Amino acid sequence: MSGVSLATATRSEPNEVTTKATKPQSSPLDKQEQTMVGGIMGSLRVIELQLVAFIMVFSASGLVPLLDLIFPAFASAYILILARLAFPSTGGVSSGSQEIFQGSKFFRLYAIVGTIVGLFLPLAYVLGGFARGDDHAVRSATPHLFLLSFQILTENIISGLSLFSPPVRALVPLLYTGRRMLVILDWIQDVWLNKTLPANAQFKDVGWFWFGRILAAMNLLYFSVNLFGFLIPRFLPRAFEKYFQQRDETHWKMAEDKRSAAANKSQSTDKKAD
């Protein structure tokens, strides 16, 4: 989510010979830590996909504004147009690897925090709103979950398809995060300005009230950092760098094939002349 599923290679492994030539031997402890972190990320992704269906069901029950309902269709159409016309897949030598950004262990921890803050806690907030009969809380957080569920689905689908080049894949979290920032701002306005506590509120009501406020603020902070500190300055440039590298490799390989074909044709002509 938020570009993380597109930032790390989870569906394809790097070439073993290249890895051995460019990276030193890792210790058993390092391998164990990488396996543990990878297992956590894989488990989180499975849980995300399981929750998406549930989120989309109750999100389609009139709780999501029309603009947010049609945004995934617009985003999908725009992504397909870009993949077809603007940034077609190069089919380069490196196109088999879906990795765009090599994340460290800190980056993966950052991704886990984003999953908790952006998906699990808002889902708990919406379910708690249903249980408490708090329609205001449900309507405030549901649009964010609806858009995030479509983002997760789109990222997981296109990350395994060679049809989509790195710039197109990088634009998916940018499009959805940009739209969700506006939705989160509406969420902030709902819980900080439009919702008040009665004078005789019980302690559990006060706790619920501040849980909604803090959760909305945490989402605004996290996804602001994600958009302006990672996606735009680091993730998108890396995607374009990878794309142009693949394109250059493709052009070089085509030129080599043409030279080889010309050389073979020349040799055949010389043999016939002899």
Side-chain angles (χ1 to χ4, degrees), residues 6-9 98-102 166-167 169-170 235 238-239 242:
L6 304 180
T8 53
Q98 300 300 322
E99 181 181 6
I100 294 178
F101 185 88
Q102 289 185 344
R169 288 187 279 131
F235 189 54
R238 190 69 59 87
K242 182 178 177 66

Side-chain angles (χ1 to χ4, degrees), residues 161-211:
L161 299 177
S162 59
L163 170 67
F164 298 98
S165 62
V168 176
R169 288 187 279 131
L171 286 171
V172 173
L174 274 169
L175 285 173
Y176 276 95
T177 303
R179 175 58 196 166
R180 282 192 299 104
M181 288 294 294
L182 300 177
V183 172
I184 294 173
L185 288 174
D186 291 337
W187 184 7
I188 289 281
Q189 182 179 356
D190 284 341
V191 296
W192 282 88
L193 301 179
N194 298 338
K195 188 175 183 179
T196 57
L197 274 175
N200 58 345
Q202 298 181 3
F203 179 76
K204 61 179 182 180
D205 295 327
V206 175
W208 174 256
F209 176 79
W210 280 102
F211 172 63

Side-chain angles (χ1 to χ4, degrees), residues 6 9 11 28-29 44 52 76 83 132 145 178 185 197 205 213:
L6 304 180
R11 286 178 168 80
L29 181 59
L44 283 176
V52 161
S76 299
R132 296 171 60 89
L145 284 173
L185 288 174
L197 274 175
D205 295 327
R213 282 190 164 189

